[in-house]
Amino acid sequence: MLSRTASHLFWMSRYLERAENLARMLDVSFTLSLLRQKSWDTTLEISAPLSTTGTLAMYQEKHGSVTPEALLHFLAWDQDNPASILSCLKNARENAHAVRGQITSEMWENINATWLEVRKLALNQSQNPGQFFEWVKERSHLFRGVTYGTILRNQAYSFIRLGTFLERADNTARILNVNSHLIQPADYNKAPDFYHWSALLKSISAFESYQQIYREEITPATVSELLILRKDMPRALLACMNELHTIFEFIQGENGRLAKRKVAEVCARLGYTDIQEVFDEGLQNWLGRFLKDIQEIGDLIHVAYLDAA
Amino acid sequence: MHALTLPAAHLFDEMLLPSGVVRPHYQRFAQWLHEQSPKTLAQKHQEADLLFRRVGITFAVYGDESGAERLIPFDTIPRIIPGAEWQHLEAGLRQRVSAINAFLHDIYHEQHILKAGLIPEEQVYQNAQYQPAMQGVALPHQIYAHITGVDIIRHNDGGFYVLEDNLRVPSGVSYMIEDRRMMMRLFPELFSRHTIAPVEHYPSLLLKTLRHATHVDDPTVIVLTPGHFNSAYFEHAFLAQQMGVELVEGRDLFVKNDRVYMRTTAGHKQVDVIYRRIDDAFLDPLAFRADSLLGVPGLLSVYRNGNVVLANAIGTGVADDKSIYPYVPDMIRFYLSEEPILNNVTTWQCRKPQEMDYVLAHLSELVVKEVHGAGGYGMLIGPTASKQELEDFRVRIKSNPSNYIAQPTLSLSSCPTFVDSGIAPRHIDLRPFVLTGREITMVAGGLTRVALKNGSLVVNSSQGGGTKDTWVLED
């Protein structure tokens, strides 16, 4: 497969996954802001997506204080914000456009229709935010389903999935990281704030899974364990890393050696880690290190496969 | 009932006589049309629009600042060709393309036709499309034009005339296939009422042609595109996908040790046949335009040494130039010892003083074209031109006679088409695609383009033309 093609496929799925995760984060923020409008200052929760996406400074420069309306516009519709849902969907579509010969026509029709529709929605932005976030998630689910159901299990499929799981690992870690700032290490095993942590679980479609696995009070410790160390939880870090590890086995060629080794290392580390060790290191530190690993894997993938050298 | 505008008496309409009587090969379709309510058909039209937009069959319009993509309008009334007429066309196309390939080989080798005095030497040597670098280069099977798109019109005398042979990078074949798919999706019942020759196997014929274009066993074939900002990018991607080959840009390729390679995730891979959708001038910045970022440095040298095949060959433009066009019937006689089956349009060459005098004296009756023009730009349609336009062209012709040719104003035949007022005749042409490999192959029919403006003869998509599905009836 052409390096440039692989790069377009990889970024197509990364951007789509990013749009989906952003919609998930925003959904939580907006739900929370509805739950607590009077008794509590919600600024911290509302602005969490800004910290997660690293756009807080850009936002403040443009809008100053954080209001739900301005934040929604900035993160959902702002074309000048490269991290907005609109920008992500645009980039996903443009990458798909460049390789439309390598994806199935159903995939192209799907991602192109998403872009045409979101462009139309962006014109009046009158939709209820919750509905819009649902729609983004649904389009992303649909695209993954169409991909799974139609594309040949070849290199293209591998690079599409690499993008998905690398981005997902990155996003889950970021969501957890931002929330880890809200608790003190001493409170890891307490249940300080049911709504907050249940909303977090819901944002990554993990609420039901949590109930099934733990059947107990929601605490930062159990949530962290679920999102970091469960290999059966599709958006957990270990599950994402295991996927990457499996995908790499199908990518031919010697040039991915370093990327493969790094993924194997991270898999091994996560696979034999206890959540208490994570807390001993400090959740924030641990997650910071993990995000650096993800960054490094992304760079190694670029060097090995994607940059036409 | 549909509001139907009948064709004018002096025009040839593919479906209707001026009296409104339906020609025999359109009768089943007319019957079906009669059964449909205008509302249903209007809905289907909208549906087609939506589907095309979703599938992304759009094209970028040059000069449109917004960079917007537009749909090429699609009309749901098919252009129907009786089987016998197609057989005649097909025989004529085979003959014409064979002669043109023989001409190209001859021009770049012994030049018998020049020595015989049939074509003046300067017509070839002074032609900007003539590539001296191709002189003496041996090509596999002596094929130059692997893919030819021949523009054909029907005049009001009912006869077919070849307007132009497109030998460089003819486009439009994807619309031919997508139009058919769309018609089958919208009106499946029509296809059970008629026996229509299929067109969807074109990509497999193309792949076969390209694989045959080299002596290499099991060659690696690729499609080379200028990139996704090109107006025909959809087609490049479509053909690559349908053939199951890589779609590459110049930056994906490089030359090393006299071979062409592409950069892949598994390392470098040698390329044997390049179906290039890039003009000669942009192929190799070392040999042609140095400012081209689209091409591959060093490609020409590998090509000349026979280590890669380009389809079409470099330098084919010398044969589809409007100044060479008048000689095609002579080529057919010279190389094949046959009489031409398809008509050429009478052409006056302004470089000949006598013919220029005639053109200037009859300017308001003629169509004047630039010798190297394409896409309907830079032409004068005498009968509809303003006085000012006529005078402008008179000056332009006089100042550079050899840049212009003139032809009688041919009245393109019309075909009923959906317009705002209902159904009305609109002018159409036909572009069949001829493939030259081990043998000459083509799918029956081609792309029918339609000028959607009332009375307009310009069918180019860049100037408001649309397309129709083209049916060759198997009778």
Side-chain angles (χ1 to χ4, degrees):
Chain A
M1 150 161 301
L2 286 178
S3 297
R4 184 177 51 80
T5 303
S7 171
H8 285 304
L9 293 168
F10 176 79
W11 282 103
M12 169 188 78
S13 55
R14 277 197 86 159
Y15 276 118
L16 195 63
E17 183 70 25
R18 196 172 288 181
E20 179 189 332
N21 282 300
L22 185 51
R24 289 171 177 279
M25 276 182 255
L26 287 171
D27 202 11
V28 179
S29 301
F30 275 78
T31 315
L32 285 173
S33 77
L34 291 179
L35 283 172
R36 314 277 190 77
Q37 39 200 198
K38 286 195 187 126
S39 60
W40 199 66
D41 176 19
T42 54
T43 321
L44 208 54
E45 258 129 9
I46 295 272
S47 57
L50 291 172
S51 327
T52 313
T53 54
T55 51
L56 188 60
M58 191 184 177
Y59 174 90
Q60 281 168 340
E61 195 179 310
K62 208 166 172 176
H63 297 282
S65 65
V66 177
T67 65
E69 294 73 26
L71 181 115
L72 175 69
H73 178 265
F74 180 73
L75 284 178
W77 305 113
D78 194 344
Q79 284 234 48
D80 299 332
N81 173 9
S84 72
I85 292 180
L86 190 66
S87 296
C88 286
L89 291 177
K90 179 169 190 254
N91 285 328
R93 188 263 186 184
E94 274 181 6
N95 277 291
H97 191 211
V99 290
R100 56 181 295 174
Q102 271 75 27
I103 56 180
T104 62
S105 32
E106 285 95 336
M107 288 167 71
W108 164 250
E109 282 187 30
N110 181 280
I111 202 164
N112 195 36
T114 302
W115 167 240
L116 295 175
E117 179 72 19
V118 78
R119 212 171 44 168
K120 220 188 304 166
L121 293 175
L123 287 181
N124 48 32
Q125 302 173 17
S126 60
Q127 220 184 9
N128 165 338
Q131 269 175 5
F132 174 65
F133 303 140
E134 272 308 311
W135 178 83
V136 174
K137 276 200 279 179
E138 235 174 75
R139 294 306 301 183
S140 177
H141 288 322
L142 208 56
F143 185 76
R144 229 176 354 261
V146 166
T147 305
Y148 183 78
T150 62
I151 199 169
L152 208 61
R153 295 316 191 242
N154 58 10
Q155 300 279 296
Y157 186 61
S158 297
F159 281 100
I160 290 170
R161 284 164 50 84
L162 269 191
T164 302
F165 289 104
L166 193 67
E167 183 68 26
R168 188 178 293 174
D170 177 273
N171 287 198
T172 299
R174 280 170 191 264
I175 293 175
L176 205 53
N177 196 27
V178 166
N179 285 282
S180 70
H181 290 259
L182 303 176
I183 44 167
Q184 298 302 314
D187 295 333
Y188 282 152
N189 291 303
K190 294 182 184 155
D193 183 351
F194 173 79
Y195 288 113
H196 182 91
W197 291 91
S198 64
L200 170 68
L201 285 173
K202 281 177 186 158
S203 80
I204 35 189
S205 303
F207 186 71
E208 288 93 344
S209 309
Y210 182 93
Q211 305 291 20
Q212 277 185 37
I213 295 168
Y214 295 97
R215 302 172 194 279
E216 62 181 74
E217 227 176 15
I218 295 172
T219 66
T222 44
V223 169
S224 301
E225 187 184 59
L226 178 72
L227 296 186
I228 295 174
L229 298 178
R230 294 293 301 207
K231 57 178 179 235
D232 51 358
M233 161 65 208
R235 310 191 84 83
L237 303 186
L238 178 57
C240 294
M241 295 314 294
N242 281 342
E243 290 281 2
L244 289 177
H245 192 238
T246 314
I247 297 162
F248 267 125
E249 287 173 12
F250 289 95
I251 297 181
Q252 300 149 4
E254 280 302 297
N255 40 357
R257 197 171 52 81
L258 294 178
K260 290 176 181 179
R261 184 171 72 195
K262 183 75 194 173
V263 168
E265 276 172 17
V266 177
C267 270
R269 185 150 53 78
L270 261 66
Y272 299 102
T273 289
D274 181 79
I275 194 66
Q276 194 49 51
E277 289 174 67
V278 174
F279 289 141
D280 288 347
E281 183 177 340
L283 185 55
Q284 281 174 48
N285 285 345
W286 193 94
L287 287 167
R289 200 152 57 87
F290 180 82
L291 281 168
K292 276 203 195 101
D293 287 338
I294 290 290
Q295 174 72 38
E296 191 185 334
I297 292 168
D299 292 345
L300 290 171
I301 290 175
H302 263 273
V303 172
Y305 303 112
L306 310 182
D307 292 334
Chain B
M1 265 315 288
H2 307 279
L4 182 70
T5 311
L6 291 174
H10 64 282
L11 294 179
F12 187 99
D13 189 85
E14 300 286 339
M15 176 168 159
L16 298 167
L17 299 174
S19 61
V21 170
V22 177
R23 292 181 193 275
H25 62 285
Y26 260 102
Q27 268 167 8
R28 280 189 198 172
F29 179 79
Q31 178 61 34
W32 173 86
L33 187 62
H34 186 71
E35 293 162 13
Q36 312 301 310
S37 79
K39 209 177 137 200
T40 322
L41 288 177
Q43 268 172 7
K44 294 275 186 185
H45 242 263
Q46 277 181 352
E47 202 181 319
D49 212 58
L50 202 76
L51 283 170
F52 272 140
R53 206 171 278 283
R54 224 181 65 198
V55 177
I57 307 183
T58 53
F59 72 110
V61 180
Y62 289 122
D64 186 337
E65 284 299 312
S66 68
E69 291 189 330
R70 291 197 203 153
L71 284 180
I72 295 189
F74 166 69
D75 186 71
T76 47
I77 298 181
R79 186 257 185 87
I80 306 181
I81 302 172
E85 265 185 5
W86 172 253
Q87 280 161 21
H88 170 78
L89 279 173
E90 181 171 339
L93 288 166
R94 284 174 185 280
Q95 181 193 51
R96 196 170 173 101
V97 171
S98 303
I100 287 172
N101 264 314
F103 169 75
L104 283 164
H105 177 75
D106 187 25
I107 282 300
Y108 289 120
H109 291 83
E110 291 81 12
Q111 306 185 328
H112 297 300
I113 199 163
L114 302 186
K115 287 170 191 155
L118 248 66
I119 298 177
E121 279 189 9
E122 71 271 16
Q123 286 286 76
V124 171
Y125 293 140
Q126 287 173 15
N127 192 315
Q129 294 297 322
Y130 169 73
Q131 298 286 2
M134 289 299 292
Q135 204 61 48
V137 175
L139 298 185
H141 314 293
Q142 304 184 357
I143 301 168
Y144 285 74
H146 304 83
I147 300 105
T148 311
V150 183
D151 289 348
I152 294 176
I153 57 132
R154 195 204 286 270
H155 189 39
N156 57 10
D157 61 7
F160 287 109
Y161 289 80
V162 173
L163 212 54
E164 204 173 0
D165 307 285
N166 297 285
L167 303 168
R168 295 171 232 183
V169 284
S171 65
V173 78
S174 55
Y175 299 103
M176 170 185 86
I177 297 168
E178 288 292 349
D179 284 356
R180 173 62 53 85
R181 287 184 184 167
M182 186 59 71
M183 284 298 278
M184 294 180 81
R185 206 155 155 175
L186 295 177
F187 309 112
E189 70 276 17
L190 274 173
F191 290 81
S192 55
R193 290 195 193 192
H194 295 84
T195 312
I196 301 162
V199 299
E200 283 190 82
H201 59 297
Y202 176 84
S204 70
L205 292 182
L206 176 61
L207 182 60
K208 221 162 127 185
T209 303
L210 294 170
R211 289 175 64 92
H212 179 67
T214 172
H215 294 302
V216 174
D217 289 330
D218 195 17
T220 299
V221 176
I222 59 169
V223 177
L224 175 61
T225 173
H228 64 282
F229 298 108
N230 185 269
S231 63
Y233 177 73
F234 161 74
E235 178 158 301
H236 309 159
F238 175 87
L239 290 173
Q241 183 183 39
Q242 297 289 312
M243 291 193 288
V245 305
E246 291 288 357
L247 176 68
V248 311
E249 294 178 17
R251 58 192 157 125
D252 299 322
L253 300 177
F254 66 96
V255 166
K256 196 177 160 189
N257 299 333
D258 207 22
R259 298 283 190 282
V260 180
Y261 295 91
M262 58 180 165
R263 304 173 215 271
T264 79
T265 52
H268 305 148
K269 188 165 186 349
Q270 197 187 327
V271 169
D272 303 304
V273 180
I274 303 178
Y275 175 31
R276 48 92 170 212
R277 299 291 301 253
I278 295 182
D279 287 333
D280 286 358
F282 297 94
L283 272 178
D284 180 352
L286 298 183
F288 305 109
R289 280 181 62 156
D291 60 342
S292 169
L293 301 173
L294 305 173
V296 187
L299 179 61
L300 177 70
S301 147
V302 182
Y303 179 58
R304 283 173 48 95
N305 291 333
N307 290 331
V308 71
V309 170
L310 296 173
N312 290 348
I314 291 176
T316 51
V318 69
D320 74 1
D321 195 275
K322 292 183 180 72
S323 65
I324 295 293
Y325 166 86
Y327 300 104
V328 175
D330 290 333
M331 291 178 201
I332 294 171
R333 294 185 194 100
F334 185 76
Y335 296 111
L336 308 178
S337 308
E338 293 172 11
E339 273 306 302
I341 298 171
L342 294 176
N343 303 312
N344 240 33
V345 181
T346 314
T347 303
W348 292 277
Q349 306 179 30
C350 295
R351 63 180 190 89
K352 298 181 183 169
Q354 263 181 327
E355 297 192 9
M356 179 174 85
D357 289 346
Y358 177 89
V359 170
L360 292 176
H362 297 83
L363 207 51
S364 64
E365 302 157 25
L366 301 174
V367 176
V368 183
K369 294 175 181 172
E370 282 182 19
V371 170
H372 310 294
Y377 293 102
M379 63 190 267
L380 172 83
I381 297 177
T384 59
S386 68
K387 271 210 169 120
Q388 187 57 48
E389 285 170 323
L390 288 173
E391 282 320 301
D392 286 352
F393 250 81
R394 192 180 298 280
V395 175
R396 283 160 70 176
I397 294 170
K398 278 185 186 161
S399 68
N400 188 7
S402 58
N403 195 35
Y404 295 93
I405 53 124
Q407 294 171 334
T409 321
L410 291 166
S411 61
L412 276 59
S413 66
S414 62
C415 184
T417 300
F418 279 102
V419 296
D420 290 340
S421 65
I423 298 175
R426 289 291 182 269
H427 293 294
I428 56 170
D429 78 346
L430 177 68
R431 177 179 286 183
F433 295 88
V434 184
L435 299 172
T436 308
R438 193 181 306 276
E439 50 190 356
I440 292 181
T441 51
M442 63 192 100
V443 298
L447 177 68
T448 294
R449 297 184 296 178
V450 52
L452 293 169
K453 263 188 271 173
N454 189 13
S456 167
L457 297 170
V458 185
V459 295
N460 303 78
S461 56
S462 50
Q463 298 197 43
T467 66
K468 283 169 172 289
D469 191 13
T470 309
W471 295 0
V472 171
L473 295 185
E474 294 183 330
D475 37 25

